[in-house]
Amino acid sequence: MDLVIGRVVKTHGVRGEVVVDIRTDDPAGRFAVGTRLRGRAPRTAGGGETEYEVTAARMHAGRLLLSLAGVGGRDEADRLRGTLFVIDAADVDSGDDPDEFYDHELEGLPVATVGGESVGTVREVLHLPGGELLSVTTGDGREVLVPFVREIVPTVTREGIEIDPPDGLIDPVED
């Protein structure tokens, strides 16, 4: 299983730098010059995996800018938009912090409402430009996308997840 450590959100300048949304607690180590990154293209681009070598990394306006070997211009860099940089889940542990989890630790967990009503199980964590979503498979096989924000997901433990869904999130609102 893989963990997402970053996502290419856009290009920067004309020399092929990419802006990366960091999703790791060790960006200096994960994106150090010389590091080889596994990049997974978005599903819309075929979802293939390519290896990249970091040739330069710097922070700019609170974002990470990366230069990658073989990516020499804006057009080449723009084709990487949406690419996820991933690592093997076996290489990391979320540790003892009760508020930090990796995607693979959440997948398969039961989901219930704060009132105790079973909703389903987490199928995957989706990392989208607008934020993270929990893809939950309900007991009847439907997929429910739950915004992974504290107001809706107040409790996450290694045993399960409690959600406080607004009206219409789990079941359609009747007219």
Side-chain angles (χ1 to χ4, degrees):
M1 178 162 301
D2 293 326
L3 299 177
V4 175
I5 60 168
R7 179 179 172 276
V8 176
V9 292
K10 63 181 183 175
T11 60
H12 178 80
V14 296
R15 295 193 173 134
E17 283 184 303
V18 293
V19 178
V20 176
D21 178 24
I22 300 169
R23 297 174 188 250
T24 177
D25 57 353
D26 183 20
R30 302 270 184 223
F31 297 104
V33 172
T35 301
R36 299 188 82 62
L37 299 173
R38 289 175 38 221
R40 183 175 303 140
R43 291 179 185 160
T44 56
E49 203 168 280
T50 305
E51 189 171 280
Y52 300 96
E53 181 179 347
V54 177
T55 58
R58 64 187 175 103
M59 294 301 291
H60 175 73
R63 296 298 254 317
L64 176 66
L65 301 182
L66 288 183
S67 294
L68 305 168
V71 180
R74 184 176 189 87
D75 290 339
E76 291 174 50
D78 199 43
R79 284 192 281 276
L80 296 179
R81 188 183 301 247
T83 295
L84 298 174
F85 294 120
V86 297
I87 59 173
D88 187 4
D91 294 340
V92 295
D93 177 16
S94 62
D96 296 328
D97 189 333
D99 290 328
E100 291 192 19
F101 298 92
Y102 287 112
D103 294 358
H104 72 281
E105 295 174 311
L106 299 177
E107 293 166 354
L109 286 180
V111 178
T113 65
V114 292
E117 181 182 335
S118 176
V119 175
T121 58
V122 177
R123 184 173 62 88
E124 71 179 310
V125 180
L126 302 171
H127 300 277
L128 303 174
E132 284 74 32
L133 296 173
L134 296 176
S135 172
V136 177
T137 303
T138 64
D140 61 2
R142 292 180 299 118
E143 177 186 40
V144 175
L145 299 177
V146 178
F148 199 8
V149 295
R150 189 169 301 279
E151 293 79 20
I152 297 174
V153 185
T155 307
V156 178
T157 69
R158 286 176 169 60
E159 289 76 43
I161 297 173
E162 282 187 343
I163 64 172
D164 189 8
D167 290 341
L169 182 67
I170 304 300
D171 294 313
V173 177
E174 303 282 328
D175 287 334

